[in-house]
Amino acid sequence: MPTQGNAGLSRFLPFGLAASLAAMLYLRYQAPSARQGKARRAALIDNISAAIINIDSQQIILHANRAAASLFGSTPGAMNGMPLGHYILRDLRNLGRHGGEGPFSDIRQELRLAGRRATDYTLTGRRGDGTLFPLEGALSGMQEGELGLYTILVRDISARKQVHEQLARSFSQLRDLSNALQTIREEERRHIARELHDDLGQLLATLRVDLTLVQQHADMTPALQKLLLGMDGLLVTAISSLRRIAGNLRPRALDEGGLYFALQKLRQDFLLRQTVHFDLLADEAELVLDDIRSTAVYRIVQEALTNIARHAEASHITIALHRIDSSLSITIQDDGKGIADQDMEKAASLGLLGMRERVWGLNGTIQIGADSELPGTRIDILLPVYTEAVAVE
């Protein structure tokens, strides 16, 4: 009676258990007579709705059931005796590199493969008319006497692959839309801030100058003088509020001095509201970026400081920015109470989501979580930066 040896199961993809079950059924229904046993096994496999192929150690098809033949656009008789590589290709990129080898150069080694993600597929099927399609497959092996017998269970995943591709395109389009909206919003902020500063700010400044001239009039009564002093105070307050609002919309330091000075101003304003130790470690020469990246970095740091002020209860903040080859590394560290993993996935965590979208929109990477050695929260960002070549005339 055949004995099962090396019951290794290759989980190419999620349904390796089904292949193992098919192999056990294969053994269970063997009859004392080899001919009767072979006929029973073939009948059993033919009536299974899953596509099953039995091969030997040379990857020659011993038997393909009707479901497998239908999957590959062939017949069981036509598939029997054919090389497995005629119907299943391991990887299109490897075609022609290994001569006539099948999809598994070493089938025993393949039996030990594991750990693939469920969204991956490692096999490509070829139908009788030559069309190719993605396959999900599982492989199990047994030893019958001196012969190695293998059972392959395959499934067409064309529809699932198409869904994955559609989802990937949707995610890409949503990300492009998010980036476009971010750009539009920044342009609107820049425009409104300029209008407030240049037009309304100029009007208020002119009005205050006129008010000063009125105060210098000779026949000024004490009551009128008091009224004008109050009006002057209100004008000063209005001008300060206008500058604050315009600065929140678009920091002038970002346009006038660049990212380094804008971050310094952001640090100074933060220290006016919070009693913390704040280290900003950066080199001005390394922060010469284009407007899109300068704005994105500024907004990311601004959002991080807002979260720290609201939730962290930190006493020490360190923000470090430096170049690594053609990338900008940003590290934001606080010694506050930290952030839980479940909090980072909350739908209401729009600040963190906005930071991620800004980073991903620039093809960067971001990691948010607890520091392995220090208390609090650590944010690590790596943004690719590009230096435009200067044309020499």
Side-chain angles (χ1 to χ4, degrees):
M1 182 175 179
T3 58
Q4 183 177 2
N6 284 340
L9 178 63
S10 172
R11 297 193 308 273
F12 282 128
L13 284 166
F15 65 118
L17 182 60
S20 180
L21 177 61
M24 289 188 289
L25 289 174
Y26 184 87
L27 286 173
R28 170 68 179 83
Y29 281 87
Q30 292 186 85
S33 167
R35 181 177 301 177
Q36 291 178 349
K38 185 178 296 185
R40 288 188 179 184
R41 291 195 298 269
L44 174 65
I45 294 177
D46 280 338
N47 291 326
I48 295 177
S49 60
I52 298 176
I53 301 174
N54 293 324
I55 62 173
D56 61 16
S57 57
Q58 302 301 315
Q59 303 187 38
I60 300 299
I61 298 176
L62 302 177
H63 181 74
N65 69 351
R66 286 192 290 268
S70 176
L71 180 64
F72 291 100
S74 184
T75 63
M79 293 183 67
N80 293 343
M82 292 290 292
L84 181 64
H86 182 77
Y87 298 98
I88 299 179
L89 313 174
R90 166 84 188 244
D91 192 330
L92 292 178
R93 294 170 297 183
N94 295 329
L95 285 180
R97 297 183 185 178
H98 305 294
E101 291 184 5
F104 314 109
S105 58
D106 183 351
I107 202 164
R108 291 179 177 81
Q109 175 66 23
E110 295 298 330
L111 282 173
R112 294 190 290 271
L113 291 180
R116 302 287 299 182
R117 294 181 303 171
T119 53
D120 291 342
Y121 65 93
T122 58
L123 303 175
T124 300
R126 177 165 53 193
R127 293 190 171 93
D129 59 3
T131 58
L132 304 178
F133 62 102
L135 281 177
E136 180 179 82
L139 177 70
S140 64
M142 69 188 80
Q143 196 74 20
E144 187 170 339
E146 299 298 326
L147 300 176
L149 299 179
Y150 302 91
T151 298
I152 301 175
L153 193 69
V154 292
R155 179 168 57 191
D156 185 351
I157 58 171
S158 299
R160 191 172 72 187
K161 181 188 175 188
Q162 185 177 9
V163 170
H164 285 317
E165 291 174 347
Q166 290 174 346
L167 287 174
R169 285 195 296 269
S170 297
F171 283 134
S172 178
Q173 291 170 353
L174 287 174
R175 185 145 297 158
D176 291 341
L177 176 60
S178 175
N179 294 336
L181 292 176
Q182 293 279 14
T183 302
I184 293 172
R185 185 170 69 172
E186 289 297 337
E187 289 298 326
E188 290 178 345
R189 284 179 167 182
R190 187 201 303 267
H191 176 73
I192 295 172
R194 185 180 296 115
E195 292 291 326
L196 288 174
H197 184 273
D198 294 345
D199 294 346
L200 188 56
Q202 186 65 34
L203 288 175
L204 290 175
T206 302
L207 182 59
R208 192 182 181 207
V209 171
D210 292 342
L211 184 62
T212 302
L213 294 176
V214 172
Q215 289 175 328
Q216 296 175 357
H217 204 274
D219 56 353
M220 184 71 60
T221 64
L224 184 57
Q225 182 71 27
K226 182 178 179 180
L227 178 62
L228 292 177
L229 286 174
M231 293 174 62
D232 183 68
L234 292 175
L235 281 174
V236 171
T237 302
I239 292 172
S240 298
S241 298
L242 178 64
R243 290 175 177 173
R244 176 178 53 81
I245 294 171
N248 290 335
L249 288 171
R250 174 72 181 184
R252 291 186 63 84
L254 196 58
D255 294 323
E256 296 175 351
L259 178 60
Y260 178 79
F261 290 101
L263 293 178
Q264 291 286 5
K265 182 65 165 57
L266 187 62
R267 173 182 175 274
Q268 294 170 6
D269 293 341
F270 186 85
L271 290 175
L272 292 177
R273 304 186 303 271
Q274 303 288 329
T275 305
V276 296
H277 184 84
F278 191 156
D279 293 322
L280 178 60
L281 309 177
D283 186 346
E284 181 182 355
E286 294 185 343
L287 297 184
V288 179
L289 308 175
D290 59 80
D291 182 68
I292 293 177
R293 285 170 176 76
S294 294
T295 302
V297 173
Y298 181 87
R299 294 301 184 192
I300 289 170
V301 174
Q302 186 181 46
E303 182 61 41
L305 291 177
T306 300
N307 288 339
I308 291 173
R310 289 177 178 175
H311 310 294
E313 300 178 6
S315 60
H316 195 123
I317 303 171
T318 300
I319 298 180
L321 305 94
H322 59 277
R323 292 286 187 99
I324 301 178
D325 297 328
S326 59
S327 298
L328 178 66
S329 173
I330 306 170
T331 301
I332 304 172
Q333 172 77 53
D334 69 74
D335 64 348
K337 59 183 183 181
I339 182 171
D341 293 338
Q342 58 269 24
D343 292 335
M344 291 189 289
E345 303 301 329
K346 288 182 178 178
S349 302
L350 298 180
L352 297 178
L353 178 60
M355 293 171 62
R356 290 192 180 105
E357 286 298 324
R358 287 185 184 274
V359 172
W360 291 337
L362 296 175
N363 299 318
T365 60
I366 178 171
Q367 293 182 344
I368 305 174
D371 190 283
S372 59
E373 299 178 357
L374 302 175
T377 303
R378 179 186 176 104
I379 302 175
D380 289 297
I381 299 170
L382 197 63
L383 286 179
V385 293
Y386 308 99
T387 304
E388 297 182 0
V390 178
V392 180
E393 299 181 356

